[in-house]
Amino acid sequence: MTPAYILTLSCPDRLGLVHAVSGFLLEHGGNIEEAAQYNDQATGLFFMRVQFACTQHDGATLREHLARFAEPYTMRFSLHAKAQTMPAVLMVSREGHCLNDLLFRVKSGLLPIDIRAIISNHRDFYQLAASYNIPFHHIPVTAATKAQAEARQYEIIQAEGAELVVLARYMQVLSNDLCTKLAGRAINIHHSFLPSFKGAKPYYQAHDRGVKLIGATAHYVTADLDEGPIIEQDVARADHTDTVEDLTARGRDTESLVLARAVKWHSEHRVLLNGHKTVVFR
């Protein structure tokens, strides 16, 4: 099978960028299989994702040549082997719907990630992890032990070589330090209501206000709580006949779907950061 690669890049926009990139790939024996590009007129930045096959060079050689090619364009790029499954660590607390959904999708071959470990501040899902033969790390978190707990979490993430950390309903606020260390590779999921309800029991609050839309937002983790660059969102309708249990069940389904899409797109290198926003080549 011919080796395939995924090239993603961003740089200041200028004439001839698509021609230059395709010319570079042609010169190095690359056959383009899929390509998408976007010019953000508000920021003047150009974004591109190219999937190509290549037998003339290996990945290391291509990266060396790409570095020289990218320099005059002030271009940031990454190159990944398409066949390489992304190493990931999942974090969860006591709500397991997103965790269970991700585990099943990976087992079914629907998500190209390799789940190396599950980290939780509770023991609730150690048997679920064991059923998938995935190491489970119980790390309790209190105000007094938060720094030590996060140090242990990061140690596991690094030891497993995780390129992605998924907060699959992990209900602890990460410190600014850990957010910085995980910048661009940690995805969180949370509900999104109109109007927004924060704090405990949001579905009870939503039911009390008679909301007609419930939804979910998947975004990259930043030090600003729940305000990181958004990757995916979706909504579901609600009406006066819905109970709190109905809203909760529908909300959990929406959260699971939105998070799965975000994880899939990230693991396929379809998401590029654009300041406080993202470019998603679906």
Side-chain angles (χ1 to χ4, degrees), residues 114-271:
D114 174 15
I115 302 175
R116 301 283 180 86
I118 296 171
I119 298 172
S120 180
N121 55 327
H122 298 280
R123 296 185 183 275
D124 298 48
F125 300 113
Y126 78 93
Q127 289 180 317
L128 178 62
S131 71
Y132 284 93
N133 296 315
I134 297 172
F136 183 87
H137 301 272
H138 175 226
I139 305 176
V141 181
T142 67
T145 65
K146 186 179 182 68
Q148 297 93 319
E150 287 196 342
R152 176 59 182 145
Q153 291 166 357
Y154 188 65
E155 180 182 323
I156 294 168
I157 291 166
Q158 291 298 91
E160 297 295 351
E163 297 175 20
L164 172 64
V165 176
V166 183
L167 306 187
R169 298 299 291 167
Y170 181 69
M171 307 306 291
Q172 291 286 325
V173 177
L174 302 187
S175 68
N176 291 357
D177 178 61
L178 188 55
C179 287
T180 300
K181 290 176 178 176
L182 299 179
R185 60 176 174 134
I187 296 175
N188 190 25
I189 182 72
H190 65 83
H191 69 80
S192 49
F193 290 111
L194 299 175
S196 175
F197 300 109
K198 297 182 180 181
K201 297 185 176 181
Y203 289 100
Y204 283 81
Q205 297 178 57
H207 182 264
D208 187 58
R209 287 290 301 274
V211 300
K212 298 299 183 281
L213 281 178
I214 58 174
T217 296
H219 61 89
Y220 285 114
V221 174
T222 65
D224 297 319
L225 183 62
D226 292 339
E227 294 186 14
I230 294 170
I231 304 170
E232 173 64 341
Q233 293 177 296
D234 207 346
V235 295
R237 299 292 308 181
D239 64 31
H240 64 278
T241 66
D242 288 318
T243 65
V244 171
E245 291 74 21
D246 293 332
L247 293 183
T248 302
R250 199 169 304 141
R252 287 175 174 171
D253 286 344
T254 306
E255 290 169 8
S256 298
L257 286 170
V258 168
L259 182 59
R261 288 181 203 142
V263 169
K264 184 174 191 294
W265 295 337
H266 178 92
S267 61
E268 292 176 346
H269 309 286
R270 296 184 180 277
V271 187

Side-chain angles (χ1 to χ4, degrees), residues 38-141:
Y38 171 68
N39 171 20
D40 187 346
Q41 296 186 2
T43 62
L45 294 176
F46 174 83
F47 301 86
M48 192 171 188
R49 178 187 185 274
V50 186
Q51 179 180 310
F52 65 96
C54 184
T55 57
Q56 186 171 318
H57 301 289
D58 61 17
T61 303
L62 283 169
R63 286 186 188 89
E64 290 179 9
H65 293 183
L66 275 165
R68 291 193 291 270
F69 165 77
E71 188 173 354
Y73 296 99
T74 319
M75 183 182 291
R76 300 175 61 183
F77 75 90
S78 63
L79 182 72
H80 301 272
K82 182 177 181 293
Q84 182 179 347
T85 304
M86 182 174 289
V89 167
L90 308 186
M91 299 178 67
V92 66
S93 289
R94 308 194 85 162
E95 295 183 22
H97 52 285
C98 288
L99 173 67
N100 191 52
D101 182 76
L102 291 174
L103 289 170
F104 182 78
R105 288 175 188 270
V106 171
K107 183 71 172 180
S108 304
L110 301 175
L111 277 181
I113 62 173
D114 174 15
I115 302 175
R116 301 283 180 86
I118 296 171
I119 298 172
S120 180
N121 55 327
H122 298 280
R123 296 185 183 275
D124 298 48
F125 300 113
Y126 78 93
Q127 289 180 317
L128 178 62
S131 71
Y132 284 93
N133 296 315
I134 297 172
F136 183 87
H137 301 272
H138 175 226
I139 305 176
V141 181

